[in-house]
């Protein structure tokens, strides 16, 4: 659809007002919020990521694209999340220590809320101690750790080790671009999921099973 390509293009240019206008227009045209997210916003961000890797764009351009992405996601949020649904369980979520990437973590949070889970969001650069303290305080069943850097994903093992050291009945779910099932296995985390929708689905299963 042409409008989704336009959203993708303007997101790459970091044109936040235009992205907001087009996202609103796409919704009025009756396009599904999930398609706007995946084929418009996420596809634009993925192109930005490729260009970043190839040194064709740099941190400032990526930041304005991320800002446009967040503005678009904020408009879609009510369409992707059913508000007022009774909580089916509580999870704590955050991006691990040393890591400031939060777009994927925010999507996971949104999808989980959409499945009726209460999500305590600790933000970015979260230490293992902060994950565990918040999980205990909120009586959470799952700690959800996101990491986007190969240099920070090792922090997930510190979270797992702390949960085990305290013998807590809390599962640790991990995800993010560099994370894999074999990495999960190597650090002894309970669950790896590759994307936000699967993360929400699998988290819900932990509470209803
Ligand atoms: Co950064 N960055 N970045 N960056 N950045 C990457 C990750 C990188 C792959 C770019 C590249 O080189 N191609 C690269 C990492 C290389 C590596 O480690 N091997 C990189 C780098 C190097 C850096 C800096 C070091 C750059 C520098 O300063 N020289 C720096 C580090 C800062 C820090 O964190 N300490 C940095 C900074 C930044 C910005 C601040 C500019 C910005 C972040 C803005 C923000 O998040 N608010 C940024 C961005 C935007 C990116 C890219 C372009 C896009 C990331 C993104 O948001 N993707 C990224 C390149 C790329 O990924 N292609 C890149 C969209 C998002 C929806 O995907 O987060 O993967 P993702 O989430 C997915 C799944 O992974 C999954 O669900 C989501 C969707 O379904 N998922 C989970 C995520 N968390 C999950 C948790 C789960 C389950 C699933 O369970 C708990």
């Amino acid at each position: 659809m042409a409008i989704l390509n336009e959203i993708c293009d303007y997101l790459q240019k970091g044109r936040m007002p235009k992205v907001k206008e087009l996202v609103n227009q796409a919704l009025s045209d009756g396009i599904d919020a999930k398609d706007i997210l995946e084929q418009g916003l996420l596809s634009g961000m993925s192109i930005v990521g490729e260009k970043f890797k190839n040194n064709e764009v740099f941190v400032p351009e990526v930041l304005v694209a991320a800002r446009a992405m967040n503005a678009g996601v904020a408009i879609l949020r009510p369409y992707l999340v059913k508000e007022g649904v009774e909580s089916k369980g509580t999870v704590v979520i955050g991006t691990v220590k040393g890591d400031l990437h939060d777009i994927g973590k925010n999507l996971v949070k949104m999808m989980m809320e959409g499945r009726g889970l209460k999500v305590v969001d600790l933000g970015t650069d979260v230490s293992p101690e902060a994950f565990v303290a918040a999980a205990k305080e909120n009586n959470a069943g799952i700690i959800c750790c996101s990491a986007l850097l190969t240099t920070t994903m090792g922090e997930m093992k510190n979270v797992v080790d702390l949960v085990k050291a305290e013998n807590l009945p809390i599962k640790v779910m991990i995800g993010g671009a560099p994370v894999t099932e074999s990495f999960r296995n190597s650090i002894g985390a309970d669950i790896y999921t590759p994307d936000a929708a699967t993360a929400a689905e699998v988290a819900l299963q932990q509470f209803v099973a």
Side-chain angles (χ1 to χ4, degrees):
M1 256 171 282
I3 190 163
L4 299 183
N5 290 336
E6 275 192 81
I7 292 172
C8 172
D9 286 346
Y10 280 111
L11 183 125
Q12 291 171 57
K13 292 176 188 145
R15 298 270 301 277
M16 181 168 72
K18 198 68 192 170
V19 168
K20 284 164 77 175
E21 180 194 319
L22 288 168
V23 168
N24 278 318
Q25 194 188 318
L27 286 169
S28 328
D29 292 350
I31 300 174
D32 196 85
K34 195 164 167 281
D35 291 338
I36 302 172
L37 175 69
E38 285 172 3
Q39 293 168 42
L41 300 171
L42 284 177
S43 100
M45 190 46 98
S46 138
I47 295 170
V48 172
E50 265 312 295
K51 290 186 172 167
F52 190 32
K53 187 166 89 185
N54 299 329
N55 289 324
E56 291 167 42
V57 299
F58 300 96
V59 171
E61 288 98 323
V62 182
L63 269 178
V64 287
R67 200 184 52 163
M69 166 98 196
N70 283 330
V73 169
I75 296 170
L76 294 179
R77 188 186 153 84
Y79 298 85
L80 295 166
V81 176
K82 288 186 217 86
E83 306 283 357
V85 181
E86 195 189 329
S87 166
K88 299 189 172 100
T90 301
V91 311
V92 162
I93 195 167
T95 306
V96 297
K97 191 170 163 186
D99 199 326
L100 302 174
H101 296 85
D102 66 358
I103 296 173
K105 183 266 296 169
N106 292 342
L107 280 177
V108 173
K109 174 187 174 187
M110 197 166 73
M111 296 292 175
M112 287 183 169
E113 287 176 340
R115 300 303 297 260
L117 297 171
K118 180 182 167 200
V119 183
V120 179
D121 184 0
L122 305 178
T124 59
D125 192 18
V126 181
S127 69
E129 293 76 17
F131 272 118
V132 169
K136 287 200 277 193
E137 192 182 318
N138 292 282
N139 205 14
I142 313 175
I143 292 175
C144 298
C145 303
S146 180
L148 263 286
L149 299 171
T150 46
T151 48
T152 60
M153 60 197 273
E155 281 295 332
M156 292 170 160
K157 180 169 183 334
N158 297 335
V159 178
V160 171
D161 288 350
L162 195 54
V163 169
K164 286 188 178 157
E166 296 200 22
N167 206 15
L168 298 168
I170 300 171
K171 291 189 175 166
V172 179
M173 178 191 279
I174 61 170
V179 180
T180 60
E181 174 60 21
S182 85
F183 177 72
R184 178 206 67 74
N185 196 32
S186 74
I187 65 167
D190 299 285
I191 309 160
Y192 158 72
T193 53
D195 58 65
T198 313
E201 176 73 40
V202 175
L204 185 61
Q205 284 164 10
Q206 309 306 308
F207 294 103
V208 295

